[in-house]
Short mmCIF file of all heavy atoms in Angstrom, two decimals:
data_model
loop_
_atom_site.label_atom_id
_atom_site.label_comp_id
_atom_site.label_asym_id
_atom_site.label_seq_id
_atom_site.Cartn_x
_atom_site.Cartn_y
_atom_site.Cartn_z
N MET R 23 84.86 96.07 98.04
CA MET R 23 84.40 97.14 97.11
C MET R 23 83.37 96.41 96.04
O MET R 23 83.83 95.34 95.63
CB MET R 23 85.66 97.81 96.35
CG MET R 23 85.16 98.82 95.30
SD MET R 23 86.65 99.64 94.47
CE MET R 23 87.35 100.38 95.91
N ALA R 24 82.36 97.04 95.74
CA ALA R 24 81.53 96.53 94.64
C ALA R 24 82.25 96.74 93.30
O ALA R 24 82.97 97.57 93.07
CB ALA R 24 80.20 97.21 94.67
N ARG R 25 81.98 95.72 92.40
CA ARG R 25 82.57 95.69 91.10
C ARG R 25 82.25 96.85 90.29
O ARG R 25 82.98 97.27 89.35
CB ARG R 25 82.36 94.32 90.37
CG ARG R 25 80.88 94.24 89.98
CD ARG R 25 80.71 92.79 89.28
NE ARG R 25 79.31 92.48 88.86
CZ ARG R 25 78.45 91.95 89.71
NH1 ARG R 25 78.70 91.60 90.82
NH2 ARG R 25 77.25 91.77 89.11
N THR R 26 81.05 97.52 90.57
CA THR R 26 80.68 98.68 89.81
C THR R 26 81.47 99.87 90.08
O THR R 26 81.47 100.95 89.46
CB THR R 26 79.15 98.90 90.07
OG1 THR R 26 78.95 99.08 91.43
CG2 THR R 26 78.22 97.83 89.51
N MET R 27 82.25 99.86 91.24
CA MET R 27 83.05 101.01 91.58
C MET R 27 84.47 100.85 91.04
O MET R 27 85.31 101.80 91.12
CB MET R 27 83.30 101.06 93.18
CG MET R 27 81.95 101.17 93.84
SD MET R 27 81.13 102.81 93.46
CE MET R 27 82.13 103.78 94.31
N ILE R 28 84.86 99.82 90.48
CA ILE R 28 86.23 99.75 89.81
C ILE R 28 86.53 100.64 88.75
O ILE R 28 87.41 101.42 88.66
CB ILE R 28 86.58 98.27 89.28
CG1 ILE R 28 86.48 97.28 90.52
CG2 ILE R 28 87.83 98.08 88.69
CD1 ILE R 28 86.56 95.70 89.99
N ALA R 29 85.59 100.73 87.75
CA ALA R 29 85.70 101.74 86.71
C ALA R 29 85.76 103.21 87.20
O ALA R 29 86.38 104.07 86.87
CB ALA R 29 84.71 101.55 85.65
N ALA R 30 84.90 103.39 88.30
CA ALA R 30 84.74 104.80 88.80
C ALA R 30 85.95 105.16 89.36
O ALA R 30 86.45 106.48 89.20
CB ALA R 30 83.55 104.83 89.87
N PHE R 31 86.69 104.41 90.10
CA PHE R 31 87.98 104.77 90.79
C PHE R 31 88.95 104.93 89.70
O PHE R 31 89.94 105.75 89.94
CB PHE R 31 88.38 103.69 91.82
CG PHE R 31 87.80 103.96 93.23
CD1 PHE R 31 86.49 103.50 93.56
CD2 PHE R 31 88.54 104.72 94.14
CE1 PHE R 31 86.02 103.69 94.83
CE2 PHE R 31 87.97 104.94 95.43
CZ PHE R 31 86.76 104.56 95.74
N VAL R 32 89.02 104.05 88.62
CA VAL R 32 90.02 104.24 87.70
C VAL R 32 89.92 105.58 86.82
O VAL R 32 90.77 106.34 86.63
CB VAL R 32 90.03 103.00 86.86
CG1 VAL R 32 91.05 103.25 85.66
CG2 VAL R 32 90.50 101.82 87.63
N LEU R 33 88.66 105.76 86.41
CA LEU R 33 88.41 106.96 85.51
C LEU R 33 88.51 108.24 86.28
O LEU R 33 88.92 109.30 85.60
CB LEU R 33 86.92 106.81 84.97
CG LEU R 33 86.64 105.74 84.05
CD1 LEU R 33 85.16 105.68 83.55
CD2 LEU R 33 87.59 105.89 82.71
N VAL R 34 88.41 108.30 87.57
CA VAL R 34 88.57 109.59 88.26
C VAL R 34 89.98 110.06 88.24
O VAL R 34 90.23 111.32 88.37
CB VAL R 34 88.20 109.37 89.82
CG1 VAL R 34 89.27 108.71 90.57
CG2 VAL R 34 87.85 110.75 90.43
N LEU R 35 90.89 109.10 87.94
CA LEU R 35 92.32 109.54 87.84
C LEU R 35 92.68 110.48 86.60
O LEU R 35 93.64 111.23 86.56
CB LEU R 35 93.28 108.42 87.82
CG LEU R 35 93.54 107.68 89.17
CD1 LEU R 35 94.47 106.44 88.99
CD2 LEU R 35 94.22 108.54 90.26
N PHE R 36 91.84 110.32 85.46
CA PHE R 36 92.18 111.00 84.30
C PHE R 36 92.13 112.64 84.38
O PHE R 36 93.14 113.18 84.11
CB PHE R 36 91.37 110.47 83.19
CG PHE R 36 91.72 109.16 82.61
CD1 PHE R 36 91.10 108.04 83.21
CD2 PHE R 36 92.70 109.04 81.70
CE1 PHE R 36 91.45 106.71 82.69
CE2 PHE R 36 93.02 107.73 81.23
CZ PHE R 36 92.50 106.57 81.74
N PRO R 37 91.01 113.09 84.91
CA PRO R 37 90.97 114.52 85.20
C PRO R 37 91.95 115.09 86.23
O PRO R 37 92.58 116.19 86.24
CB PRO R 37 89.60 114.86 85.51
CG PRO R 37 89.04 113.47 86.05
CD PRO R 37 89.80 112.52 85.25
N LEU R 38 92.26 114.12 87.27
CA LEU R 38 93.19 114.53 88.31
C LEU R 38 94.47 114.72 87.89
O LEU R 38 95.33 115.67 88.13
CB LEU R 38 93.04 113.52 89.45
CG LEU R 38 91.73 113.40 90.25
CD1 LEU R 38 91.77 112.32 91.35
CD2 LEU R 38 91.31 114.79 90.66
N THR R 39 95.07 113.60 87.06
CA THR R 39 96.41 113.86 86.60
C THR R 39 96.58 114.85 85.51
O THR R 39 97.65 115.37 85.31
CB THR R 39 96.77 112.30 85.95
OG1 THR R 39 95.79 112.04 85.04
CG2 THR R 39 96.90 111.25 87.06
N GLU R 40 95.43 115.02 84.73
CA GLU R 40 95.37 116.05 83.70
C GLU R 40 95.81 117.48 84.31
O GLU R 40 96.36 118.27 83.69
CB GLU R 40 94.20 116.03 82.97
CG GLU R 40 94.10 116.97 81.85
CD GLU R 40 92.74 116.97 80.99
OE1 GLU R 40 91.96 116.02 81.39
OE2 GLU R 40 92.58 117.82 80.12
N ALA R 41 95.24 117.70 85.59
CA ALA R 41 95.53 118.89 86.31
C ALA R 41 96.87 119.03 86.89
O ALA R 41 97.36 120.07 86.97
CB ALA R 41 94.40 119.12 87.45
N LEU R 42 97.49 117.86 87.01
CA LEU R 42 98.81 117.83 87.67
C LEU R 42 99.84 118.01 86.59
O LEU R 42 101.08 118.52 86.89
CB LEU R 42 99.06 116.63 88.49
CG LEU R 42 98.14 116.42 89.79
CD1 LEU R 42 98.45 115.07 90.48
CD2 LEU R 42 98.28 117.66 90.69
N LEU R 43 99.75 117.41 85.40
CA LEU R 43 100.83 117.34 84.46
C LEU R 43 101.32 118.74 84.06
O LEU R 43 102.43 118.76 83.76
CB LEU R 43 100.26 116.61 83.17
CG LEU R 43 99.95 115.11 83.38
CD1 LEU R 43 99.31 114.39 82.16
CD2 LEU R 43 101.42 114.35 83.70
N PRO R 44 100.54 119.79 83.78
CA PRO R 44 100.99 121.09 83.37
C PRO R 44 101.94 121.82 84.41
O PRO R 44 102.64 122.83 84.03
CB PRO R 44 99.77 121.90 83.14
CG PRO R 44 98.54 120.99 83.02
CD PRO R 44 98.98 119.92 83.99
N LEU R 45 102.07 121.33 85.59
CA LEU R 45 102.85 121.95 86.58
C LEU R 45 104.27 122.02 86.26
O LEU R 45 105.02 122.95 86.51
CB LEU R 45 102.76 121.22 87.88
CG LEU R 45 101.38 121.37 88.70
CD1 LEU R 45 101.42 120.64 89.97
CD2 LEU R 45 101.02 122.81 88.85
N SER R 46 104.86 121.01 85.51
CA SER R 46 106.29 121.00 85.05
C SER R 46 106.52 122.14 84.09
O SER R 46 107.48 122.85 84.17
CB SER R 46 106.68 119.69 84.56
OG SER R 46 106.48 118.59 85.38
N ASP R 47 105.60 122.26 83.15
CA ASP R 47 105.74 123.40 82.17
C ASP R 47 105.77 124.82 82.80
O ASP R 47 106.41 125.69 82.54
CB ASP R 47 104.61 123.47 81.16
CG ASP R 47 105.17 122.70 79.79
OD1 ASP R 47 106.34 122.63 79.62
OD2 ASP R 47 104.35 122.09 79.12
N SER R 48 104.83 124.88 83.87
CA SER R 48 104.64 126.09 84.54
C SER R 48 106.02 126.46 85.36
O SER R 48 106.40 127.66 85.31
CB SER R 48 103.50 125.99 85.59
OG SER R 48 102.27 125.80 84.91
N ALA R 49 106.57 125.47 86.04
CA ALA R 49 107.84 125.61 86.76
C ALA R 49 108.96 125.91 85.82
O ALA R 49 109.79 126.87 86.11
CB ALA R 49 108.19 124.41 87.53
N GLY R 50 108.88 125.45 84.62
CA GLY R 50 110.05 125.70 83.59
C GLY R 50 109.93 127.15 83.06
O GLY R 50 110.87 127.62 82.46
N SER R 51 108.84 127.71 83.26
CA SER R 51 108.54 129.22 82.80
C SER R 51 109.01 130.13 83.68
O SER R 51 109.30 131.36 83.42
CB SER R 51 106.98 129.37 82.40
OG SER R 51 106.72 128.39 81.32
N ILE R 52 109.35 129.70 84.99
CA ILE R 52 109.61 130.76 85.98
C ILE R 52 110.86 131.55 85.67
O ILE R 52 110.82 132.78 86.02
CB ILE R 52 109.75 129.95 87.43
CG1 ILE R 52 108.35 129.53 87.90
CG2 ILE R 52 110.42 130.92 88.51
CD1 ILE R 52 108.48 128.67 89.07
N PRO R 53 111.98 130.94 85.23
CA PRO R 53 113.15 131.84 84.86
C PRO R 53 112.92 132.94 83.87
O PRO R 53 113.33 134.03 84.02
CB PRO R 53 114.09 130.70 84.22
CG PRO R 53 113.73 129.39 84.82
CD PRO R 53 112.25 129.46 85.08
N GLY R 54 111.92 132.62 82.95
CA GLY R 54 111.41 133.71 82.02
C GLY R 54 110.78 134.84 82.76
O GLY R 54 111.02 136.10 82.39
N TYR R 55 109.87 134.48 83.72
CA TYR R 55 109.29 135.51 84.55
C TYR R 55 110.32 136.30 85.34
O TYR R 55 110.24 137.46 85.44
CB TYR R 55 108.26 134.93 85.44
CG TYR R 55 107.17 134.08 84.88
CD1 TYR R 55 106.79 132.87 85.51
CD2 TYR R 55 106.62 134.37 83.56
CE1 TYR R 55 105.69 132.03 84.89
CE2 TYR R 55 105.72 133.52 83.06
CZ TYR R 55 105.24 132.34 83.75
OH TYR R 55 104.30 131.67 83.15
N ARG R 56 111.28 135.63 85.82
CA ARG R 56 112.40 136.32 86.63
C ARG R 56 113.01 137.26 85.71
O ARG R 56 113.34 138.34 86.27
CB ARG R 56 113.29 135.27 87.14
CG ARG R 56 112.70 134.50 88.48
CD ARG R 56 113.72 133.46 88.87
NE ARG R 56 113.24 132.74 90.00
CZ ARG R 56 113.86 131.65 90.55
NH1 ARG R 56 115.02 131.19 89.93
NH2 ARG R 56 113.46 131.00 91.60
N ASP R 57 113.26 136.98 84.48
CA ASP R 57 114.02 137.88 83.58
C ASP R 57 113.24 139.16 83.40
O ASP R 57 113.76 140.27 83.39
CB ASP R 57 114.25 137.17 82.24
CG ASP R 57 115.23 137.94 81.35
OD1 ASP R 57 116.23 138.23 81.78
OD2 ASP R 57 114.80 138.24 80.24
N SER R 58 111.84 138.99 83.16
CA SER R 58 110.98 140.17 82.90
C SER R 58 110.99 141.00 84.22
O SER R 58 111.03 142.25 84.15
CB SER R 58 109.57 139.67 82.62
OG SER R 58 109.56 139.04 81.32
N VAL R 59 110.85 140.39 85.36
CA VAL R 59 110.76 141.07 86.80
C VAL R 59 112.07 141.76 86.90
O VAL R 59 112.14 142.99 87.46
CB VAL R 59 110.41 140.15 87.88
CG1 VAL R 59 110.73 140.72 89.24
CG2 VAL R 59 108.99 139.66 87.67
N LYS R 60 113.18 141.20 86.53
CA LYS R 60 114.62 141.77 86.71
C LYS R 60 114.67 143.09 85.89
O LYS R 60 115.17 144.09 86.42
CB LYS R 60 115.60 140.83 86.37
CG LYS R 60 117.03 141.30 86.72
CD LYS R 60 118.07 140.14 86.27
CE LYS R 60 119.48 140.62 86.54
NZ LYS R 60 120.52 139.65 86.13
N ARG R 61 114.18 143.02 84.63
CA ARG R 61 114.18 144.23 83.89
C ARG R 61 113.41 145.36 84.44
O ARG R 61 113.72 146.53 84.41
CB ARG R 61 113.78 143.91 82.36
CG ARG R 61 114.89 143.34 81.57
CD ARG R 61 114.57 143.41 80.13
NE ARG R 61 113.43 142.53 79.77
CZ ARG R 61 113.44 141.23 79.42
NH1 ARG R 61 114.69 140.79 79.32
NH2 ARG R 61 112.45 140.51 79.10
N LEU R 62 112.17 145.02 84.94
CA LEU R 62 111.25 146.01 85.53
C LEU R 62 111.86 146.60 86.83
O LEU R 62 111.78 147.73 87.02
CB LEU R 62 109.94 145.42 85.75
CG LEU R 62 109.13 145.14 84.49
CD1 LEU R 62 107.96 144.20 84.79
CD2 LEU R 62 108.62 146.41 83.78
N GLU R 63 112.57 145.75 87.53
CA GLU R 63 113.11 146.12 88.78
C GLU R 63 114.32 147.10 88.54
O GLU R 63 114.51 148.04 89.27
CB GLU R 63 113.45 145.00 89.73
CG GLU R 63 112.30 144.26 90.40
CD GLU R 63 112.68 143.13 91.18
OE1 GLU R 63 113.92 142.59 91.02
OE2 GLU R 63 111.73 142.64 92.05
N SER R 64 114.99 146.76 87.44
CA SER R 64 116.15 147.71 87.14
C SER R 64 115.67 148.99 86.74
O SER R 64 116.34 150.02 87.10
CB SER R 64 116.96 146.96 86.02
OG SER R 64 116.34 146.92 84.80
N LEU R 65 114.67 149.03 86.05
CA LEU R 65 114.06 150.39 85.68
C LEU R 65 113.60 151.15 86.82
O LEU R 65 113.67 152.34 87.05
CB LEU R 65 112.93 150.09 84.63
CG LEU R 65 112.24 151.38 84.08
CD1 LEU R 65 113.23 152.19 83.23
CD2 LEU R 65 111.03 151.04 83.30
N ASP R 66 112.90 150.34 87.84
CA ASP R 66 112.49 150.91 89.10
C ASP R 66 113.67 151.59 89.84
O ASP R 66 113.64 152.71 90.32
CB ASP R 66 111.92 149.84 89.96
CG ASP R 66 110.57 150.29 90.50
OD1 ASP R 66 110.24 151.43 90.29
OD2 ASP R 66 109.84 149.25 90.90
N THR R 67 114.85 150.79 89.95
CA THR R 67 116.08 151.24 90.64
C THR R 67 116.47 152.52 89.93
O THR R 67 116.95 153.45 90.55
CB THR R 67 117.06 150.20 90.57
OG1 THR R 67 116.53 149.00 91.15
CG2 THR R 67 118.29 150.62 91.31
N GLU R 68 116.62 152.53 88.51
CA GLU R 68 117.09 153.61 87.82
C GLU R 68 116.22 154.87 88.10
O GLU R 68 116.69 156.00 88.16
CB GLU R 68 117.15 153.38 86.32
CG GLU R 68 117.63 154.42 85.44
CD GLU R 68 117.73 154.00 83.96
OE1 GLU R 68 117.75 152.73 83.68
OE2 GLU R 68 117.77 154.87 83.22
#
């Protein structure tokens, strides 16, 4: 590998990891969504 590619390969990780980091917050919000869906479904059943 050419030495000019070292910085390129390292810097490319910053936007990639930035896209992956919010997934934990998104997954942690799922129980809240389920609660809203449960209320709407109970209204549907009623």
Side-chain angles (χ1 to χ4, degrees):
M23 181 183 292
R25 63 180 182 274
T26 54
M27 299 296 290
I28 296 175
F31 271 88
V32 172
L33 290 178
V34 78
L35 282 177
F36 285 93
L38 296 179
T39 54
E40 186 180 351
L42 299 179
L43 290 176
L45 290 180
S46 296
D47 263 335
S48 299
S51 302
I52 289 176
Y55 304 144
R56 285 178 178 171
D57 189 57
S58 293
V59 170
K60 186 177 179 180
R61 279 195 294 269
L62 291 166
E63 287 179 343
S64 67
L65 185 64
D66 233 343
T67 303
E68 182 176 339

